[in-house]
Amino acid sequence: MSALTREETEALIQEVLEVYPEKAKKDRAKHLMINDKELESSKKCITSNRKSLPGVMTMRGCAYAGSKGVVWGPIKDVISISHGPIGCGQYSRAGRRNYYSGTSGVDSFCEMNFTSDFQEKDIVFGGDKKLAKLINEIELLFPLNKGISIQSECPVGLIGDDIEAVAKKAAKELNKPVVPVRCEGFRGVSQSLGHHIANDSVRDWIISNRDGQAFEKTPYDVAILGDYNVGGDAWASRILLEEMGLRVVAQWSGDGTLAEMENTPNVKLNLLHCYRSMNYISRHMEEKYGIPWVEYNFFGPTKIKESLRKIAGFFDDKIKEGAERVIEKYTPMMDAVIAKFKPRLQGKKVMLYVGGLRPRHVVGAYEDLGMEVVGAGYEFAHNDDYDRTIKEMGDATLIYDDVTGYEFEEFVKALKPDLIGSGIKEKYVFHKMGVPFRQLHSWDYSGPYHGCDGFAVFARDMDMTINNPCWNMMQTPWQQKAPGSLLKAAA
Amino acid sequence: MANIMIRKNDKGYVFYMPKRDIEDSIVSMEFDTPEKWGGEIKLGNGGAYYIEPQSAPARLPYSVRARRIDGVE
Ligand code: SF4
């Protein structure tokens, strides 16, 4: 059951699109759809991964954000240099809350900002010399780094610096991997291409570094791919896997290390959480090393159980029993969480607009709490993501790709959700509109949300947000019963 | 011509084009025997590609050059 019927949703889309000029209207109409569970492919109904329309407010990021912020940044013992002007690195520094164990500035570098701080003269004369100097400085000051990556920002691509040459030379001198990543922000239409570029650079410079070296294997080796340990997510996932008898060799890339990544070709199975940002390297390892990969979902008990069984299906009876044991152990705990929060959340409606995975992955967790997702959309998904989304969502729900600020506000006004889950750029707009909001990129300074421990936090956070008494106190002065009372008080 | 990667899932062959991030099911492949494999392939989204017929790859996934015949980019 959805809040609106198919016809009503259709009418809503038409109404919202009405304000656009003809051409924009035609373009945006392709990015909005009404879900139909029967569909096998999303191709005919929704267009995605296209350039955003000039003049609208989009929430997308750039390729640099996808590479430095998402894939490379969380690797804790690799120093990622934001090569170019200082802003790109500084404003994306440490905001994502990729937790790690280690000592910042000594052996872990996730939340520090390393940048070449381009000035006018670097643009005019090129920045390669500066980069080489910077790498030497890093080596001197932070000798415990295991490798360096150079994340190029827009100007570096524009002036045509040869960062590959600098990287090769430095790698030889330092005897460490130095990886040039051509992730200038102007490449591609969103951060998505940055993920791809980052994956390709890992493929070309990292993954085969230890080929042929001895490695003590077990039949139960797996790697966690596409879990960035936001608020400790990967840890909450890892304990479930270990409890069922698997050995987690690597975490990509939250709380991960270079050595873990280099050892990944030895695993039996790659577990892929965020399909969008790491399917590329999974496909590569499947082809080159014959390692199968499987997508899983650790949000909410229903999906966790499903995923544990699916993963166990790749192994022998020992692991299958392990999975059942884990499920049995945690079911009472999760039931208790549901018993506590479901009565408070039952029937509440949610709208989601997040990155490339969460709009479909968290649906199960909301449903476990008796809530209903009435609209979902992605910033930078591709059609294969929408193919996967159609199955998760209810019939006739609204799906929006790269939604504009205006459209999102209008949809919220019409659908009147009890909760919105989206990013920091949307947060305060909806707060001001008086709608409960959770920031679902970095879990709003909370987390973890993955795994069984995470579900308890997730449920508590949703309750805390929706049932917060502050939402009843937010009437604007001009809507208040006694007009002007606030104004008078202010005067 | 573009590089594509062909893999198999429980439903059959899957087409993947890294350059454009297109993943789709392969609904038909002209030749699918150990000796002769490839030819015209049709995708779930209506597109069609051509792979030079060759002996079937020993292992999937397998990267190969393909030519676009029709439809969808
Ligand atoms: S678009 Fe370019 S300048 Fe802007 S943040 Fe991204 S890399 Fe930096």
Side-chain angles (χ1 to χ4, degrees), chain A residues 62 64 88 152-155 184-186:
Chain A
C62 67
Y64 160 85
C88 317
S152 43
E153 296 164 6
C154 288
E184 289 89 353
F186 56 74

Side-chain angles (χ1 to χ4, degrees), chain A residues 40-41 43-44 49-50 192-193 196 275-276 279-280 283-290 293 382-384 387-388, chain B residues 4-5 7-8 11 14-24 44-46 59-64 72-73:
Chain A
E40 267 304 314
S41 151
K43 187 84 199 172
K44 304 235 160 54
N49 198 29
R50 289 295 144 78
S192 183
L193 193 73
H196 197 158
Y275 168 85
R276 183 70 277 134
N279 76 78
Y280 316 100
R283 290 176 198 275
H284 173 70
M285 284 194 261
E286 187 181 28
E287 184 174 25
K288 184 161 180 201
Y289 301 100
W293 49 277
H382 299 200
N383 271 70
D384 39 3
D387 290 346
R388 290 162 167 81
Chain B
I4 63 162
M5 186 191 269
R7 56 192 293 268
K8 220 171 190 159
K11 293 202 193 78
V14 183
F15 168 97
Y16 175 67
M17 183 188 279
K19 176 104 182 132
R20 312 202 60 138
D21 274 328
I22 297 170
E23 187 189 45
D24 216 312
N45 65 18
R59 196 179 82 186
L60 290 172
Y62 179 67
S63 287
V64 62
V72 206
E73 68 289 46

Side-chain angles (χ1 to χ4, degrees), chain A residues 61-64 152 154 156-158 181-194 197:
Chain A
C62 67
Y64 160 85
S152 43
C154 288
V156 174
L158 295 173
V181 189
R182 283 286 179 186
C183 57
E184 289 89 353
F186 56 74
R187 292 183 201 274
V189 298
S190 66
Q191 47 272 68
S192 183
L193 193 73
I197 294 170

Side-chain angles (χ1 to χ4, degrees), chain A residues 115-139:
Chain A
T115 173
S116 45
D117 185 16
F118 262 38
Q119 303 294 315
E120 244 173 284
K121 73 172 196 320
D122 301 312
I123 302 288
V124 176
F125 298 109
D128 284 345
K129 283 214 185 76
K130 195 172 194 179
L131 179 61
K133 193 169 152 217
L134 170 65
I135 292 175
N136 284 331
E137 244 170 58
I138 285 179
E139 196 52 26

